[in-house]
Amino acid sequence: MTAGTASPQIARAQAAPVEATAITAFRPGSTETRFGALEFVGGLELSSSEPLFGAWSAIRFLSGGEHFLGVLDTGHWLSGRISRDAQGRLSGLSDVTIASMLDADGRGDQSKYSVDAESLAIRGDDVLVGYEQRHRISGYRPLSAIETARPFRMSFPLPFPVGELRNNGGLETLALSPEASPLQGALVAVAEKSVDGNGNLFAGILDGPLKGAFRVVAHDGFDVTDGDFLPDGDLLLLERRFTFASGVGLRIRRIDGASLKPGAVVDGEIILEAGMGEEIDNMEGLDVVSGADGSTRIILVSDDNHSILQRSLMLEFRLVD
């Protein structure tokens, strides 16, 4: 979701001290931990004195699962690391920095239209970012110096018509498939709410042996806001809905990895559904990581749109089924 106004730009990385309040129950007042196919592990409500903090669109954890890189829809990189308590639950963020994304000329003062970053994938030393409004996927390297990186590729070819993408409903999902899956490490993109004549979301496999377009069935007014692959090759899609009657809602859908192929119209089971009775907000980012116990973890982050009415959250779940 695009914030209503652009935030001020900065020319270089700067520290952003972050305060974290623990979220111990996904459903306030309840001791229940199992929700659908997921078990709630813990979460954080985040705030910072740095006005650029917020508007978090996507997150990817680096090797080891402690350090992370994110993108803000104001055209900034957000990096840092998580800390955990003695029980292994999220306890805070540290070493957080924010830096403007640079254009090919090294400028960091680009317009909101040009740097509405919504999705993120990391492949080796390459950092791939999906943008909406000016729809494209750009590549940056190296990962180790991302704050000063310029795009080495301005746009990757997409297997569906870019002209059909809505200004505020474009490339919200970039996900890297496992090497051992039928997609063999290919990059997959899914649109937020841009649909074809049958009401199905535009999506595509961008490279690899099964390169081509497919579609994702849209349900009940939910928009796709992010996604990532499970180790077995299934694709998780994070979905969000907002209505004045019911407030904000969240779903996670699991798509059979074997169904992802050119020309397919795919759907999947809902493994988590939540609403105003749970600790959610405008959830926009999802990453799949490995827990210290070997379990599959799902970490979500929210986009507060720099609004006093919304919150920046980080939530962690363990995949049970």
Side-chain angles (χ1 to χ4, degrees), residues 49-70:
S49 58
E50 169 51 59
L52 287 169
F53 183 81
W56 202 337
S57 292
I59 184 172
R60 295 296 179 210
F61 282 85
L62 310 184
S63 177
E66 179 182 357
H67 291 85
F68 63 82
L69 177 67

Side-chain angles (χ1 to χ4, degrees), residues 94-148:
S94 60
D95 301 331
V96 176
T97 62
I98 300 176
S100 295
M101 292 175 163
L102 303 182
D103 65 12
D105 296 319
R107 295 190 299 262
D109 58 350
Q110 303 171 72
S111 68
K112 171 69 173 178
Y113 172 80
S114 297
V115 288
D116 190 351
E118 297 291 346
S119 49
L120 175 67
I122 298 173
R123 178 155 55 187
D125 210 25
D126 293 349
V127 179
L128 309 172
V129 180
Y131 296 91
E132 64 181 15
Q133 297 198 61
R134 184 183 158 202
H135 304 292
R136 68 196 189 282
I137 297 171
S138 294
Y140 302 80
R141 68 165 73 106
L143 171 61
S144 60
I146 195 62
E147 293 88 353
T148 57

Side-chain angles (χ1 to χ4, degrees), residues 182-183 210 232-235 255-261 264 266:
L183 299 184
L210 295 176
D232 67 0
D234 285 355
L235 174 63
I255 309 293
D256 183 355
S259 69
L260 299 174
K261 58 189 65 175
V266 303

